[in-house]
Amino acid sequence: MNIRKFLVALLLGVSTMTLSAQATRSQVESGIQSVERLIAGHQWQEAFAKLREVEGSASGSPTLKYLTMKERYSMYQRINRGTEAKNCMTQMESLAMQSGDNNTIEDMLLSKAAYYNRIGNPKVSKDCYLTILNRRSKGADDKGMEACFKKLIAEASSSGNHQMKATISEIYGSWQDSIAAIKASKELNELKANYEAAQTDISDKQTKINVQWGTIIFLAVLLIGVAAALVFFILVMVRNRITIKKLQHSLEVSEESSAQKSVFMRNITNQIAPSLQQISTGNKAHIDALGALLKDVEKYMELEGSKQEKYETSETNVGKLCEDIIQACAERSMTITTTEAPKITFPVNKEAVMEILMEIISQTFILSQPEKVQIAFKKRNPHTGQFTVTAVGMKLSDEEKSILFTAFAKVYDLTKTTGLILPTCALQAYKMGGTLSIDDTFAKGTRFVLEVHC
């Protein structure tokens, strides 16, 4: 029975304390409203007297004392008493931290940011906004961080706090740039890993070749003493020679690919360094250029890995195909003056041919300003067709021609071209059983020749 009475008394005490706290907060908020009404009537002496009375009611509660101190700070701001306002701001900061209430702490940080921005100290103001951001995003991943940024910007817009919106937007932009830089670094590390794997593959194949040559030498010595097994040994030698040729061919392909990748690895720092440098200044053109480079590298590597898988072909009206290309170029503000393509059918992969020719035409406008561009098609024989893109007035040096279809051979200005478009087109031509080259006999500009076979 005594325990029951004790519990009832305890519950009544807690309820009484809660109601008392609510009543006190209501009294303080009502008092602050009265102070505001006196200020509106320019009764400053009465307003300060009323505020002192309200401060007496708020004693014992850091949260309520913060509300009265914030009102006192506001009054000093209105009558331009800077020293007293600064002292109030210091006390507001202390009271907010004592309260441990998130809403009170955030309100203090916003007031502090506005104060220091007003007195010409934007660094402290920015630190306040960063503190709010860090408190809200503690333990969040990249998506959570982005959500916090967007929410703070939305709150600043809705409250009309333009300074806060501008500061958070600036921090958000820097954060996005750092994420883009990290992604670019990751892509670079993956390319380096692929290069090292290619080097290991070349070493393994060289070892196999050495083993095969050892076998040949052993069999050659054995043939001198074993005439009866001459035919058998000849067959073994022939078989081993075929194997060696296949391995040598594979090695040549791997070495060529490795050489290209070696040049690329030497150039990659110079290639992307300007764009990475510009990321810190928020240069969107360079960020987009870096993204285009990584995308073109990925496409080139994918085609290189599948170049033995030939494209499917179907009978296509080449005259209609060239007209479609002219129309597509016009939509992209690239004018093709004439076309010489008879309306005959020839077995090609329409999508691949159209993509290659469109990319070639686009590159002629990027690399130079040709006087005019023409496309044409000629059927050389029943199994060979030839598309040409003629850019009159486009002059290329012998050195430029020699590396035009070679990937990673030169450092390009990424804001203009990645240098991988034409090498990628050459791989696509190979997948159609054809070639992409320059007509060295054409002297009035540059003529690209896409030859396809069926």
Side-chain angles (χ1 to χ4, degrees):
M1 182 64 70
N2 290 334
I3 293 175
R4 183 180 297 176
K5 289 181 178 179
F6 173 75
L7 291 175
V8 170
L10 181 61
L11 289 172
L12 289 173
V14 171
S15 300
T16 302
M17 290 175 63
T18 302
L19 292 173
S20 176
Q22 292 175 348
T24 302
R25 184 179 184 89
S26 177
Q27 183 180 359
V28 169
E29 291 175 347
S30 176
I32 290 174
Q33 292 175 2
S34 299
V35 171
E36 287 292 331
R37 285 195 291 273
L38 290 170
I39 292 173
H42 303 287
Q43 299 177 25
W44 289 95
Q45 187 174 356
E46 292 82 353
F48 274 106
K50 180 64 177 176
L51 181 59
R52 286 192 292 273
E53 177 186 333
V54 176
E55 287 174 335
S57 302
S59 61
S61 171
T63 302
L64 297 180
K65 289 175 69 177
Y66 170 81
L67 293 177
T68 59
M69 187 57 65
K70 181 180 179 182
E71 181 63 23
R72 180 173 289 277
Y73 161 78
S74 175
M75 293 169 69
Y76 283 141
Q77 286 283 82
R78 296 182 196 182
I79 60 177
N80 296 320
R81 292 176 64 175
T83 302
E84 289 83 349
K86 183 177 181 180
N87 292 334
C88 287
M89 177 55 63
T90 301
Q91 295 182 58
M92 285 168 61
E93 187 171 1
S94 176
L95 290 169
M97 300 310 295
Q98 290 177 33
S99 72
D101 179 63
N102 284 333
N103 293 333
T104 302
I105 292 172
E106 280 201 12
D107 183 79
M108 177 274 295
L109 289 169
L110 290 172
S111 298
K112 183 177 178 181
Y115 170 75
Y116 279 97
N117 184 61
R118 187 180 298 111
I119 65 174
N121 194 338
K123 182 180 183 304
V124 176
S125 178
K126 183 176 181 179
D127 290 342
C128 290
Y129 295 134
L130 276 173
T131 301
I132 295 174
L133 176 66
N134 292 335
R135 288 174 63 89
R136 291 195 182 185
S137 62
K138 186 177 181 180
D141 56 12
D142 288 346
K143 289 185 178 179
M145 281 289 295
E146 188 165 12
C148 286
F149 276 117
K150 291 181 178 179
K151 185 175 181 181
L152 277 173
I153 292 172
E155 290 177 2
S157 297
S158 63
S159 64
N161 192 339
H162 302 298
Q163 192 270 338
M164 176 182 176
K165 180 180 179 182
T167 302
I168 296 296
S169 297
E170 178 187 350
I171 298 170
Y172 181 36
S174 299
W175 177 80
Q176 286 181 313
D177 290 345
S178 68
I179 294 298
I182 290 170
K183 183 178 178 182
S185 178
K186 182 180 177 182
E187 295 285 352
L188 179 58
N189 290 335
E190 289 178 356
L191 286 173
K192 288 182 178 178
N194 290 337
Y195 168 74
E196 291 173 0
Q199 290 294 96
T200 301
D201 184 55
I202 290 172
S203 177
D204 291 342
K205 289 179 179 179
Q206 186 65 57
T207 300
K208 289 181 180 179
I209 289 174
N210 293 336
V211 171
Q212 293 294 336
W213 276 113
T215 302
I216 291 174
I217 294 171
F218 172 76
L219 291 176
V221 173
L222 193 60
L223 279 171
I224 296 174
V226 188
L230 181 61
V231 176
F232 170 76
F233 285 140
I234 291 174
L235 292 175
V236 173
M237 289 179 65
V238 170
R239 181 178 179 183
N240 278 306
R241 285 185 178 276
I242 293 173
T243 303
I244 288 172
K245 287 182 179 180
K246 290 182 178 178
L247 287 173
Q248 286 179 327
H249 177 70
S250 178
L251 179 61
E252 289 172 0
V253 173
S254 296
E255 286 179 341
E256 181 181 355
S257 176
S258 178
Q260 291 177 359
K261 291 173 183 175
S262 295
V263 174
F264 172 62
M265 295 310 295
R266 289 196 299 269
N267 288 340
I268 187 65
T269 300
N270 294 331
Q271 185 79 66
I272 68 174
S275 291
L276 289 175
Q277 180 65 29
Q278 290 296 326
I279 284 175
S280 63
T281 62
N283 192 315
K284 189 174 186 301
H286 282 269
I287 296 173
D288 292 343
L290 187 57
L293 171 63
L294 296 176
K295 182 179 178 181
D296 287 350
V297 168
E298 181 180 1
K299 182 176 180 180
Y300 179 83
M301 292 301 184
E302 180 181 353
L303 284 171
E304 184 183 48
S306 64
K307 64 182 180 181
Q308 301 302 330
E309 301 172 9
K310 302 302 182 183
Y311 284 138
E312 294 183 0
T313 62
S314 61
E315 292 290 337
T316 303
N317 187 320
V318 292
K320 179 64 168 58
L321 175 60
C322 290
E323 290 175 359
D324 292 343
I325 292 173
I326 291 176
Q327 178 63 33
C329 287
E331 294 173 359
R332 292 169 55 179
S333 301
M334 296 186 296
T335 303
I336 310 301
T337 55
T338 60
T339 177
E340 296 178 8
K343 292 189 176 181
I344 60 174
T345 60
F346 191 83
V348 297
N349 185 291
K350 179 180 178 181
E351 291 75 18
V353 169
M354 188 167 184
E355 182 178 351
I356 292 171
L357 296 180
M358 287 289 291
E359 292 289 12
I360 292 173
I361 293 167
S362 176
Q363 287 298 297
T364 64
F365 285 94
I366 292 173
L367 298 175
S368 70
Q369 292 296 325
E371 298 172 13
K372 61 180 180 179
V373 178
Q374 301 171 308
I375 58 175
F377 175 82
K378 291 182 180 180
K379 188 174 181 181
R380 293 299 184 184
N381 58 55
H383 303 288
T384 303
Q386 196 176 80
F387 291 92
T388 59
V389 175
T390 303
V392 178
M394 179 183 179
K395 298 293 185 179
L396 295 176
S397 66
D398 291 339
E399 181 182 358
E400 289 175 321
K401 290 179 181 179
S402 67
I403 63 172
L404 200 58
F405 304 110
T406 303
F408 317 128
K410 178 184 175 182
V411 175
Y412 290 90
D413 181 354
L414 294 182
T415 59
K416 295 181 179 178
T417 179
T418 64
L420 289 175
I421 300 301
L422 293 178
T424 299
C425 290
L427 282 177
Q428 290 177 297
Y430 180 84
K431 288 170 69 70
M432 289 191 292
T435 59
L436 181 59
S437 60
I438 298 290
D439 182 359
D440 292 328
T441 64
F442 184 72
K444 295 182 180 180
T446 302
R447 175 172 287 161
F448 296 85
V449 180
L450 171 62
E451 190 168 280
V452 292
H453 304 280
C454 61

